Structures are given as C-alpha cells and as structure tokens.
Amino acid sequence: MIYLEPMKNALSKAVNKNITPRAFAAAVVILCALRLFLTAWQKLYLCPEISMLDDELMYKFAQSIAAGEWLGEYGYLTLGKRALYAVWLALLNKLGVSVLFAGQLLAVGAALAASAALRPLIKNRLHRLVFFAVLLFSPNAYADFTLRVYRDSISSSVTLIFFACAAALVLRAGGERNRPIFLWGALAGLSFAASWLLREDAAWLLPFAALALVVSFIRVLKIRTKDAALKLSALAASVLVALAGIGAYCYMNYSRYGRFITSDLTSSEFTAAYGAMTRVVVPEEDRNPIVPVPASSRERLAEISPCFAELMPYLEADDFLRWQKDCGGGLIEYSGGGIYWALRNAASLAGYYESPETARAFFEKMADEINSAADAGLLGEVLPKRSGLNSPITSYYVAPTLETSVESLIRVVSYGSLRCDPENSVGSDLLLDEMEDFLNCACQRVSYGETSSPNANKLVFWAVSETAPVSALLLTESGEPIRCQTIASTAGDIYLDYLQGGEDLRYTAGARLTLYYESEEAPVLSLSAGDSALEIELSKTGEMSSPASEGGLTYMIEYCGEAGEPYNEYGFLELWLYRLMRLICWLYRPLGILLFTAGAAAFARFVIALIKKRIPRPQAGAFALVCGFLTMAALRIGMMSFADVSAFGLGVYTMYLAAVYPLITLWEFGSIALWVHSQERV
C-alpha cells in the first residue's frame, strides 16, 4: 500500500487545486459565449395544426396580449391554462428578440445563478467552474422540446433559478455581511411566481419553498448576526414578491373576465366537479389505467346529475373524437388527460361558457349534484369525496408508478432519449411565415425540389361550415373528378381562431386538407356541407392572404402550385453544430452515470458519518438543502410517473422531467461538497 501513497497525494493535490477569481471569471465568460454560439443556429419546431392545447394556444394568447387584449374573448380555453409563457412571447415580440435566443439566454442565466448561489457550499472555484459547466452544457437545456413554442422551453430554467435563489437564502442566512441577500430573496419570489404561472402543477415547489424559508428563518434567529434584520427582510421579500407577481396576474384576469384566479381549470368548482366524477368505482371489466371515467361511469353519472346529462349528447358525439385516443387494445376513449377538456368543450357547446360566472355556477352545481347522489348511495360503491384533476390515488397504480419512476430516474441520470435537432414544422407555409415573423425566429421546415413529373401539383386549403363537416372534390373544367391523394390535419389553429372570436365551431377537425394531384390545367375545387355548396376556380382565385365566406362556407387557399420533392436543407455550420450537440448528448451519458455514482457515494458516506457522530459540527442548513434537492427530484419523478400511468400512457417523456436534470446535478455536487467539507473539519 505504501506504493499507492504518492498516487493518492497527487490525486488529492489535483482535486484540491484552485484557480484565481480572475481566471474563474474569464472561464465563465468564455463558456457562456461558447454555449450561446452552440445553440445560435437552432430553429423552431412549429406545429400549429396539431398543438391546439399547447404551442398554438400560447401563440394565440401571445398575439392577443401583444394587441392589448389580454387573453382575448372568453371561452373554455381562455383561462384553461396559466399563460405567463404567452406574456413572455408577447414581450419578446415587442422587443424584437428571437424567442430561441431569449430562451437560451435564460438557461445561461439560470446556470450562472446556481453557480453563484452555491458558492458558500462549493467554495473551491475550480470545482464550482466544473459544476457550472455541467449545468451550462446539459443537453436538457437545449433539447428538441425547448425548440417548441411552449412553456416547457423555459420552465426548467425558471425553476432552476428558483431553486438556486432559495438555496442562496439558506446558505447565507447564517453568514456575515450578506448585503446581496435581499436581491436573492426578491429573485426567489419572482422566480417562484413565474414558475407558478407557467404550469398548473407548480404546487410541487411548495415543499421546497417552505423548507427554505423555515431553515433560513431558524438559522437567522439562532446565529443572530449584525445584519439579521436585513436577512429577515429578504425572507419577507421572497414571500411578498411571489404573492405580488401571482396577484398581478390574477388581477389581469379579474379586470378582463371578472375572476381573480390564475386558471379556471384549477379553480375550486371545476376540480370539485371533476373529482366528483372520478368517485365512481369502475367495474373490473371496464377498468383501463388511463381511463378514469369510462362510458359505463358516464351513463351512471347522467342518471343522477341533470347537469352532466346535458353534456352527454356532446360527449358521445362522433365529432368529439378530437378529445379521445387509443387507450390500449384498440379502445378509443377519453384518457385522463383528455376528459376534462372534453367536459369543458361540451359545457361550452351547451352554452355555459358565455361568461366566467355561468361556467363557475354550472360546474359548482354539477359537483353538488354528483356528490349528493354519491353520499346518498345512488351511485353504489364510491370513493371518498375528493377534488382534483388527477385520477384517484389507489393501490391499483402503485406498482406501475414505481416501475415508471425507476425508468424515469435511469433516463434522467443517463441523459437518455435527449436529442437537440428539431423535427420538421407542421403547417402551411403561410401560417409558418406568420409565426416566424411574430417570434423573430426561423423554423425548421421541409424544402421542395424539382419532381420527375412536370404535372405534379399540391393544393393546401381549409374550409368550414357551421352546420356540417365540409366535403371537397377536385374537378376539371368540364366537371370530371380528378384523382388525388388527400391528407387531412387536425386544424387546431383554425378552431382556436374561431374560439378566440367567441364562436365554438364544432366542425373544424380535419378542416385543412392537402391534395396531391397531377393535372395539366388548373382544376376547380368543389366544396359542400349540408345544403351549402360552392365551386372555386383555382386559376382565378390563387393563394389567399385572408379567408373568404360565400354560400354558407368559409375557406382559404393557402398554397396552390407545384408539389416538388421534399428534402431537408442545412447550412454548413448549422450541420456541424447539430453534430456537436449529438456528441455532447453522447458524452453526457457516461458523465451523468459517473456523477450520480459519485454523488450517491458522497451522500451515503456523509449520512453514515453523521449517524456515527464522526462529524463534530455538520452543516445543518447545507445538509437540509441537499436533502431537499434529492426529495424534490424524487417528488417530480413520482408526480410525472403517476400522471403518465393514470392519465396519459405516453411512457417516460423527457419534457415533463426537464426540471429534474438540474436538480440531480445540484444534489450531486452538493453531496460531494458536503463530504469534502466534513473531511476538512475532522
């Protein structure tokens, strides 16, 4: 063993090596510049036709906000999601800043905040630089889901800023001369409010926020430094700023819609109504893990609730298939992630979303009807009274939730399934051009080259009617039908346009059609819906800049011309940067496993030494903080795993785990730092 002593000393010297503050600052600047350059050529993935509840909804909100109309006309989607991301998009539009560049700048800022926050814990500047670099270049911060126009593109960065600021408060609560602590407190409140207003599930942050406040408060009172009053005011500022930010958003909803709430999806009356619906115990033969309210339950609910019975004609209609999915085994049903949107859509068609108050009163009444009937025994065996948007937590979900949680943890630790290049955007060129202009950023889209057939053509259009779905035919000038390949889209953007205008138009699903055909002459487009019919001479109409209405039909020709062979075109630098991103993703897989193993070993050794009282004066605040990082990562994984097995059935979806990646990194480096400090004190 004596021969290993020089190697051990050399390793210890290398590990404990430090750098000067100037070298640290220079390295940080260089790394930030490289990081921003790496993602400078990324392009958006726009999918307006297929992201009605997600990307397109936020984009429409942003357009309304930019026009000074807040979230637009009231409908069942208007207050359905917390829309701070739409405020972010509108702000960037006014500033003329690219949405992708702003998102990456926010990610860099989050890494900087985390590095600065953990300075009292990771004191060695070289170690802190490594920690910063791992966070900065983590592929989850520029993965493909961050290229969408959706809140998850920035939510993990905002969440990381919150955790960093809360950690800064804990670590500085007992130190001397901490003048910047007030800024940490204000930023903690601001980032908490932002996280709360970005996603409906932000309540998972509350345990950590409470832990940070309690531990910080105890440390301030226990140590009683000269600037204790300043530290207490910083803690108060974190709470007040958070409440002020959330309150300001609620006030905007109140001033426009008369309700002081963040969302009427998470409001007490709607969660009570949905919770009441899920009290019905589903028979074994009808049970499906992601279908909380199957057809058999809906029939029983309609028998005892007049309010729910009013919705049944809509819920069981064929055109409501937009809210259903294949739930396994070929069963087309409402999943847990679709049933509450279908419920709101049905209430809208029944006339209960004329105002926020009529919607509130309707769902409040429905909840009372179902709960009263359940308590009176009219529904047979039922679960206890509950409120919420999730499925009831029962033993039925324990095993699959644990299995998915383990799979999710492995996926996060190994950085599995992360890719950083966008898919091709989905939508007409006219619509994509409009979105690019508003977002100040180019999107990834298919290019078209020459075809082998000189007569290969493509027509992209949409048409809707208030009375029935629209049928379309291509005809020659003499009236003969032309053979063509037809591709229909969900046309979610068209539906939202009508909905924001105050009209819940039912027959928009599949309204946009792409027709591929061969013809030497410009054809005639024949449209019909019920008693309405219309013929459009494409040679005279051509592409349109706005919709037209005629004969009871509204239509728009978005493209009419040569089809072309599709291909993807990349610039030289763009191509090599994407290849570099793939290489980084590949390198992070073994790095992630190595760091997790080191963090777990350090954490375990620290806990064992603490139990055996080998650590005279443990860093109580830092230890609570590190435990908090691990607990919050586990909580997020458990939440998302339960949501998947009980509502979505998508499997491990990295976008919903985006906040876990930096949390695991915080825990790993925090654990290692704790162990190193404990050895220094022995």
Side-chain angles (χ1 to χ4, degrees):
M1 296 298 291
I2 192 171
Y3 300 105
L4 297 177
E5 195 64 29
M7 184 181 298
K8 183 179 179 181
N9 292 335
L11 181 61
S12 176
K13 186 177 180 180
V15 169
N16 293 319
K17 185 177 180 180
N18 209 340
I19 57 176
T20 65
R22 182 173 295 181
F24 177 80
V28 166
V29 171
I30 292 171
L31 288 174
C32 289
L34 290 174
R35 170 66 170 74
L36 291 174
F37 180 77
L38 176 69
T39 56
W41 272 261
Q42 282 186 300
K43 294 180 180 178
L44 289 169
Y45 164 52
L46 302 178
C47 47
E49 295 185 20
I50 59 177
S51 60
M52 186 183 79
L53 294 177
D54 301 325
D55 309 44
E56 184 64 8
L57 183 63
M58 291 297 151
Y59 173 66
K60 293 296 185 185
F61 284 163
Q63 285 184 310
S64 295
I65 294 169
E69 300 174 357
W70 192 225
L71 303 179
E73 293 292 328
Y74 182 72
Y76 74 91
L77 290 180
T78 308
L79 298 179
K81 287 196 172 185
R82 298 173 186 177
L84 185 68
Y85 184 68
V87 178
W88 166 260
L89 293 181
L91 176 63
L92 296 179
N93 172 261
K94 293 298 184 181
L95 295 175
V97 177
S98 161
V99 65
L100 278 187
F101 176 75
Q104 293 308 316
L105 204 60
L106 188 64
V108 171
L112 286 169
S115 175
L118 267 61
R119 181 179 176 182
L121 180 60
I122 309 176
K123 297 178 180 179
N124 184 294
R125 284 182 291 274
L126 183 58
H127 296 174
R128 199 161 67 252
L129 183 64
V130 173
F131 166 65
F132 172 70
V134 170
L135 271 181
L136 186 67
F137 286 92
S138 178
N140 76 286
Y142 47 91
D144 54 355
F145 57 80
T146 67
L147 306 179
R148 292 176 54 180
V149 187
Y150 196 46
R151 56 196 184 181
D152 290 288
S153 63
I154 66 168
S155 63
S156 63
S157 297
V158 174
T159 302
L160 175 57
I161 293 174
F162 162 70
F163 281 114
C165 294
L169 291 175
V170 172
L171 294 173
R172 288 160 175 78
E176 295 283 354
R177 294 183 299 174
N178 279 310
R179 294 292 174 185
I181 196 171
F182 189 85
L183 295 178
W184 285 114
L187 189 56
L190 184 63
S191 55
F192 179 86
S195 298
W196 191 268
L197 297 172
L198 277 172
R199 294 189 56 89
E200 291 75 41
D201 58 7
W204 76 285
L205 298 175
L206 286 173
F208 192 86
L211 170 72
L213 284 173
V214 170
V215 172
S216 299
F217 184 74
I218 292 174
R219 295 194 73 203
V220 171
L221 294 184
K222 184 177 181 180
I223 299 175
R224 293 183 180 276
T225 57
K226 294 180 180 180
D227 57 351
L230 177 65
K231 292 171 181 175
L232 290 175
S233 67
L235 298 181
S238 66
V239 176
L240 293 176
V241 170
L243 293 176
I246 297 171
Y249 183 91
C250 292
Y251 177 76
M252 290 300 296
N253 284 339
Y254 175 77
S255 63
R256 182 61 191 265
Y257 309 111
R259 296 207 64 188
F260 193 81
I261 54 175
T262 57
S263 160
D264 62 7
L265 179 73
T266 54
S267 62
S268 58
E269 72 278 355
F270 187 78
T271 54
Y274 185 74
M277 288 169 54
T278 57
R279 292 182 65 184
V280 179
V281 175
V282 180
E284 185 68 32
E285 62 272 16
D286 295 332
R287 186 172 294 177
N288 182 292
I290 64 171
V291 182
V293 190
S296 59
S297 295
R298 297 196 295 273
E299 291 173 1
R300 294 172 65 189
L301 290 169
E303 293 173 356
I304 55 88
S305 170
C307 284
F308 190 82
E310 284 190 65
L311 307 184
M312 282 293 282
Y314 304 102
L315 292 173
E316 308 306 322
D318 291 340
D319 58 300
F320 254 52
L321 289 175
R322 75 159 75 233
W323 301 117
Q324 298 183 356
K325 61 178 288 185
D326 187 341
C327 297
L331 174 66
I332 305 300
E333 253 288 12
Y334 294 113
S335 69
I339 180 64
Y340 42 78
W341 296 115
L343 192 70
R344 293 164 69 87
N345 191 184
S348 174
L349 292 171
Y352 289 105
Y353 272 91
E354 292 181 355
S355 71
E357 181 56 31
T358 55
R360 185 203 61 78
F362 175 78
F363 286 113
E364 191 174 76
K365 184 179 179 182
M366 188 172 86
D368 289 341
E369 289 176 353
I370 297 174
N371 283 324
S372 297
D375 295 340
L378 300 180
L379 284 171
E381 184 183 2
V382 294
L383 298 174
K385 187 176 181 179
R386 62 185 303 272
S387 178
L389 296 177
N390 58 291
S391 297
I393 300 176
T394 63
S395 58
Y396 179 65
Y397 293 113
V398 172
T401 298
L402 289 175
E403 182 180 349
T404 305
S405 296
V406 172
E407 185 181 350
S408 298
L409 178 61
I410 294 172
R411 190 76 61 88
V412 170
V413 169
S414 65
Y415 289 85
S417 300
L418 286 175
R419 54 191 299 268
C420 303
D421 44 331
E423 299 180 28
N424 288 319
S425 299
V426 180
S428 68
D429 287 335
L430 191 66
L431 183 58
L432 298 182
D433 289 342
E434 173 201 304
M435 297 183 73
E436 284 181 334
D437 183 63
F438 185 88
L439 301 168
N440 302 299
C441 189
C443 72
Q444 180 67 36
R445 64 171 92 185
V446 175
S447 299
Y448 293 94
E450 295 183 358
T451 63
S452 56
S453 172
N455 298 322
N457 297 289
K458 181 173 76 170
L459 172 65
V460 182
F461 71 96
W462 60 263
V464 295
S465 166
E466 295 183 4
T467 58
V470 176
S471 298
L473 286 174
L474 274 185
L475 306 173
T476 64
E477 291 183 352
S478 59
E480 295 296 323
I482 298 175
R483 291 185 60 185
C484 57
Q485 178 188 359
T486 303
I487 300 176
S489 78
T490 55
D493 58 302
I494 300 169
Y495 180 77
L496 282 179
D497 279 335
Y498 278 97
L499 196 63
Q500 281 202 308
E503 186 178 2
D504 191 353
L505 198 61
R506 296 177 63 177
Y507 304 108
T508 55
R512 178 178 282 110
L513 299 176
T514 300
L515 307 182
Y516 292 93
Y517 62 96
E518 291 192 13
S519 175
E520 297 181 0
E521 56 180 294
V524 174
L525 176 61
S526 174
L527 303 175
S528 61
D531 296 331
S532 302
L534 178 65
E535 290 191 351
I536 305 167
E537 295 184 34
L538 297 178
S539 59
K540 297 180 180 179
T541 305
E543 297 174 13
M544 303 165 61
S545 58
S546 60
S549 295
E550 185 179 349
L553 296 166
T554 302
Y555 65 94
M556 182 171 177
I557 309 298
E558 296 178 319
Y559 178 82
C560 183
E562 295 181 357
E565 290 291 340
Y567 69 95
N568 286 103
E569 184 177 8
Y570 297 96
F572 175 81
L573 192 56
E574 178 187 5
L575 181 64
W576 281 98
L577 284 175
Y578 279 139
R579 289 174 176 172
L580 178 58
M581 288 181 193
R582 295 190 195 106
L583 176 62
I584 293 174
C585 287
W586 182 82
L587 291 175
Y588 261 75
R589 293 181 180 181
L591 176 64
I593 296 172
L594 177 64
L595 287 174
F596 186 81
T597 303
F603 185 78
R605 293 184 69 178
F606 182 88
V607 171
I608 292 172
L610 188 63
I611 293 173
K612 293 183 177 181
K613 298 182 179 180
R614 293 178 181 174
I615 301 176
R617 296 180 62 189
Q619 296 183 344
F623 180 61
L625 193 64
V626 171
C627 290
F629 291 148
L630 181 62
T631 303
M632 294 305 296
L635 176 61
R636 183 66 182 178
I637 287 175
M639 278 177 53
M640 292 299 99
S641 297
F642 175 73
D644 180 69
V645 302
S646 66
F648 298 106
L650 297 173
V652 178
Y653 196 21
T654 51
M655 183 175 77
Y656 296 135
L657 297 173
V660 181
Y661 290 89
L663 269 175
I664 291 293
T665 304
L666 291 171
W667 171 74
E668 291 164 348
F669 279 88
S671 297
I672 294 171
L674 270 180
W675 173 247
V676 170
H677 295 333
S678 71
Q679 296 306 294
E680 291 173 352
R681 291 195 300 273
V682 173

